[in-house]
Amino acid sequence: MLDVLNWVKFLKLDRATLKSDGVFRSSPRGWFTFGHAHLLCSSSSEHIGHGARTLFRDVFAGIDPDLDAQVEFGTFQKIGDPTTRRQVV
């Protein structure tokens, strides 16, 4: 219980000492840094998500793991490669 009270005391805004009105203000440099940090974190998570989607494509599609013996995945996906087998339609 005492630990929680210490955190509450730490989070209180001391307006008398700092002579502030309680509004968070920052410089353009601070907002620039905050914005770029936010963009970095969001784009990194998107890259990780897209990478996972590519690596585990068969899992997300619901393909049975025992199907590898019957089907060769990615056989017809190399566009423009002359060594790729042609799919008979």
Side-chain angles (χ1 to χ4, degrees):
M1 183 69 178
L2 291 174
D3 197 30
V4 173
L5 292 176
N6 286 337
W7 273 103
V8 171
K9 183 193 258 185
F10 174 74
L11 294 174
K12 277 188 178 176
L13 180 63
D14 186 15
R15 294 181 183 192
T17 304
L18 300 174
K19 296 184 178 84
S20 63
D21 57 359
V23 177
F24 177 74
R25 301 188 200 298
S26 182
S27 64
R29 181 182 293 174
W31 288 115
F32 179 85
T33 305
F34 171 76
H36 281 82
H38 177 72
L39 289 171
L40 173 73
C41 292
S42 64
S43 65
S44 295
S45 65
E46 291 172 2
H47 278 84
I48 290 170
H50 284 290
R53 189 179 73 179
T54 302
L55 290 173
F56 301 106
R57 181 177 29 196
D58 54 343
V59 176
F60 292 134
I63 297 174
D64 186 24
D66 297 330
L67 202 59
D68 285 341
Q70 302 170 14
V71 179
E72 183 180 353
F73 290 103
T75 303
F76 303 107
Q77 291 186 353
K78 295 177 271 181
I79 298 174
D81 186 8
T83 61
T84 303
R85 293 189 316 192
R86 301 275 180 198
Q87 185 175 16
V88 179
V89 181

